[in-house]
Amino acid sequence: MKFSKSTDLAVHGLWILAQNRPQQVFIAELALKQNVSQTYLAKVFQKLARKGLVNSVRGKRGGFCLARDPEGISIADVARAVEAEEPFFECLAPVRGCEGQNDCKVRETFLHAGEVMYEVLEKITLADLLLVAQNNGRSKWLR
Amino acid sequence: MKFSKSTDLAVHGLWILAQNRPQQVFIAELALKQNVSQTYLAKVFQKLARKGLVNSVRGKRGGFCLARDPEGISIADVARAVEAEEPFFECLAPVRGCEGQNDCKVRETFLHAGEVMYEVLEKITLADLLLVAQNNGRSKWLR
């Protein structure tokens, strides 16, 4: 039960884009700064593009830039974009032969837990991360 | 980002034990009721035994019984026992070369989100599940 490393890479990658606004940043540079493979990071950024969080700039000088203001992108938006394919809780009702899949107390509890978790992630935006970096005089979390 | 099917199996398995107290239940019966392999379920129950949630009864007539009252076992206890090996959030600070791993706003936010999520799971115990089953006249979620 954990968020994937893709989510961590996406949040930090968007943080870099926010710091470089309005300039685009090349995927090679984003990968270098995070010390991960360009191919892997490109796949993560394709998910972000599909969800409208970044715009990709095509061509030889292609790269990515934020599609919205930093105030409009929460950590929850990023996590949902990256993790969206997976349900929060894998209910085995169909395997088990449960009758009460839609009003099961176990399922209800896990889904509620997921909601309150995402409410926390909703409250922090890229603008908050920028503010932290500015208050520190630099982004101490990025090379 | 999801809870594993092992957690779902563990919660429902303990629910069966709670309903059968003080009798033990054989792993073969638990597996049959949940329509999963006995080997797989046995591994899940070994984790629960290691965390003191169930007692295993050895021998030919061996099986499992609850190690505590249903009031004393929350869904959070079960989830922690099963998912404990995995950190909630995979921070890539060591890979990325971050300096601020211990006071990173991103890491702090994800860890806080995990805490509030577990607080929800903490509030529901096996006793609550038993009550739901009793109010329905039977356990409609288990065959």
Side-chain angles (χ1 to χ4, degrees):
Chain A
M1 159 60 188
K2 66 174 174 185
F3 282 96
S4 67
K5 64 179 181 176
S6 298
T7 294
D8 183 80
L9 287 170
V11 172
H12 284 83
L14 291 174
W15 192 353
I16 296 170
L17 293 192
Q19 288 176 307
N20 283 275
R21 270 176 319 143
Q23 271 81 39
Q24 57 169 308
V25 184
F26 305 117
I27 194 76
E29 190 181 339
L30 290 170
L32 189 68
K33 277 183 187 289
Q34 300 214 61
N35 200 24
V36 290
S37 101
Q38 196 172 320
T39 315
Y40 185 91
L41 196 64
K43 284 181 187 164
V44 174
F45 267 72
Q46 278 160 17
K47 288 185 183 181
L48 301 178
R50 275 200 294 273
K51 294 289 176 182
L53 301 184
V54 298
N55 290 326
S56 62
V57 186
R58 292 174 185 276
K60 196 179 173 187
R61 302 284 295 163
F64 288 96
C65 57
L66 288 191
R68 305 207 289 255
D69 286 340
E71 292 77 12
I73 299 179
S74 70
I75 294 186
D77 292 331
V78 186
R80 282 202 186 97
V82 177
E83 314 271 345
E85 290 85 355
E86 293 209 326
F88 177 71
F89 173 61
E90 190 172 0
C91 171
L92 293 173
V95 175
R96 192 184 291 113
C98 278
E99 295 171 26
Q101 188 174 359
N102 293 326
D103 63 347
C104 173
K105 185 78 177 168
V106 176
R107 186 170 174 272
E108 175 195 307
T109 303
F110 275 104
L111 293 183
H112 178 49
E115 282 164 9
V116 303
M117 184 194 68
Y118 268 105
E119 277 168 17
V120 171
L121 301 182
E122 205 76 67
K123 285 178 190 152
I124 306 295
T125 68
L126 292 182
D128 296 313
L129 298 185
L130 278 179
L131 202 63
V132 170
Q134 283 161 11
N135 288 344
N136 279 282
R138 65 195 169 89
S139 170
K140 69 184 287 195
W141 299 285
L142 297 169
R143 292 186 304 177
Chain B
M1 160 60 187
K2 66 173 174 186
F3 282 95
S4 67
K5 65 179 181 178
S6 298
T7 294
D8 183 80
L9 288 170
V11 172
H12 284 84
L14 290 174
W15 193 353
I16 297 170
L17 293 192
Q19 288 177 305
N20 282 275
R21 270 176 319 144
Q23 271 82 39
Q24 57 168 309
V25 183
F26 306 116
I27 194 75
E29 190 181 339
L30 290 170
L32 188 69
K33 277 182 186 289
Q34 301 215 58
N35 200 22
V36 291
S37 100
Q38 196 171 322
T39 314
Y40 185 91
L41 196 64
K43 283 181 186 162
V44 174
F45 266 73
Q46 276 159 20
K47 289 185 182 182
L48 300 177
R50 276 200 295 272
K51 294 289 176 181
L53 301 184
V54 297
N55 290 325
S56 61
V57 186
R58 292 174 186 275
K60 196 178 173 188
R61 303 283 298 164
F64 288 96
C65 57
L66 288 191
R68 305 207 287 257
D69 286 338
E71 292 77 11
I73 300 180
S74 71
I75 294 187
D77 292 331
V78 186
R80 282 203 186 93
V82 177
E83 315 271 345
E85 290 85 354
E86 293 211 327
F88 178 69
F89 173 61
E90 189 171 2
C91 173
L92 294 173
V95 174
R96 193 184 291 114
C98 277
E99 296 171 24
Q101 189 175 359
N102 293 327
D103 63 348
C104 174
K105 184 77 177 169
V106 177
R107 186 169 173 273
E108 175 195 308
T109 303
F110 275 103
L111 293 183
H112 178 49
E115 282 164 10
V116 302
M117 183 194 67
Y118 269 105
E119 278 168 17
V120 171
L121 302 183
E122 204 76 67
K123 285 177 191 154
I124 306 295
T125 68
L126 291 183
D128 296 311
L129 299 186
L130 279 179
L131 203 61
V132 170
Q134 282 161 10
N135 288 344
N136 279 281
R138 64 195 170 91
S139 169
K140 69 185 286 197
W141 300 286
L142 297 169
R143 292 187 303 177

